[in-house]
Amino acid sequence: GVNIPDSVTYVGENAFLGTSFYNRSSNWNNGALYCDNILLDTDLLIEEYHITPGTRLIACGAFRGMTSLTSVIISDSVTSIGSSAFNGCSSLESITIPNSITSIGGSAFSGCTSLTNITIPGSVTSIGSYAFDDCTAQIIWDEMTAITTIEEYAFSGYNGATLTIPGSVTSIGNYAFYNCASLESITIPDSVTSIGAYAFSGCSSLESITLPFIGATKNGTENTHFGYVFGASSYSSNKDRVPSSLKTVEITGGTNI
């Protein structure tokens, strides 16, 4: 048998592929392979799936490409959604993420083009790169959210039209919203004190943006030009990097422009 200790917090995609444990049909139950309290892989032809209560982790790529899947309920024992866990689940319309989840891995919901909304619970403190790539779902933040950092590339490729960032966030990483080509409106709260380079680069449909300051940091003395967050290296390149679609800009604070 295989035993995985509770100290393990990350299980890579196909970690046991080709092993006797993986190949033994008796280890699979209704199209899912579990090891102790970790969901390793699925081969689902069903539309709805409820992750077994007591499960602690969803391994990377566990549901990748399960195109028949329309609904998933994640048990409130799960703390982590692995990278690419639901990547390519193009028929997924509904997913329940419990308040036990602390991290959502990179590309976790990439290609989930049928999702209409997704609620990020207050327990989540980390969102990986391209987590919602090619996903049009409305992002809803739990009112108790405590996330402080939108990490590099976290929402890159997101295809929704509007996005609001919660007031708990203080820092936005480089390329955080890179290539959100369908994004029309975004509001950055006053709590944010730093925004990374290229944060909104490639947001070619952006019409409205609300920012707490101009440039890289609140009341900063470097990279204070408006186009910085769009990838402009200097004032002179603002015209080349700021999207021509932009009609409304609201600046809510700061002392330097």
Side-chain angles (χ1 to χ4, degrees):
V2 177
N3 297 108
I4 302 176
D6 286 346
S7 58
V8 172
T9 58
Y10 176 90
V11 177
E13 188 167 0
N14 297 324
F16 294 91
L17 184 67
T19 65
S20 57
F21 172 79
Y22 187 96
N23 293 331
R24 189 175 298 122
S25 59
S26 59
N27 288 334
W28 290 75
N29 184 21
N30 294 324
L33 178 64
Y34 288 83
C35 183
D36 294 331
N37 51 12
I38 298 174
L39 173 55
L40 294 175
D41 204 354
T42 57
D43 185 16
L44 299 173
L45 297 176
I46 57 177
E47 293 184 353
E48 299 179 359
Y49 188 72
H50 190 157
I51 292 174
T52 301
T55 301
R56 188 170 59 87
L57 304 177
I58 301 173
C60 297
F63 292 88
R64 183 197 282 272
M66 297 292 107
T67 55
S68 62
L69 200 63
T70 61
S71 175
V72 173
I73 297 175
I74 300 177
S75 301
D76 61 9
S77 55
V78 177
T79 60
S80 176
I81 299 174
S83 299
S84 295
F86 297 94
N87 191 324
C89 293
S90 55
S91 299
L92 186 64
E93 298 174 355
S94 170
I95 188 163
T96 301
I97 302 178
N99 206 39
S100 55
I101 299 290
T102 59
S103 67
I104 297 174
S107 301
F109 297 99
S110 177
C112 292
T113 52
S114 296
L115 271 179
T116 55
N117 61 69
I118 186 166
T119 299
I120 301 176
S123 53
V124 170
T125 57
S126 175
I127 298 174
S129 301
Y130 296 96
F132 305 99
D133 182 36
D134 201 25
C135 184
T136 57
Q138 180 187 2
I139 304 295
I140 302 169
W141 300 89
D142 183 278
E143 62 182 18
M144 299 300 290
T145 188
I147 194 167
T148 58
T149 301
I150 303 296
E151 298 172 31
E152 289 190 2
Y153 293 98
F155 286 92
S156 289
Y158 172 66
N159 264 349
T162 63
L163 196 57
T164 298
I165 304 305
S168 57
V169 172
T170 59
S171 174
I172 293 174
N174 299 338
Y175 296 94
F177 306 96
Y178 177 67
N179 261 5
C180 291
S182 298
L183 190 65
E184 297 175 2
S185 173
I186 188 166
T187 299
I188 306 301
D190 290 341
S191 56
V192 171
T193 58
S194 69
I195 301 176
Y198 297 90
F200 304 103
S201 178
C203 294
S204 54
S205 300
L206 193 65
E207 296 181 2
S208 172
I209 188 169
T210 299
L211 294 166
F213 54 85
I214 296 292
T217 57
K218 191 170 186 176
N219 302 330
T221 57
E222 296 181 1
N223 295 317
T224 57
H225 49 292
F226 175 69
Y228 174 77
V229 296
F230 296 101
S233 57
S234 64
Y235 287 94
S236 61
S237 57
N238 279 346
K239 65 181 184 300
D240 299 320
R241 303 297 306 196
V242 176
S244 58
S245 56
L246 194 61
K247 300 174 182 176
T248 304
V249 176
E250 181 178 355
I251 309 301
T252 57
T255 59
N256 301 335
I257 295 180

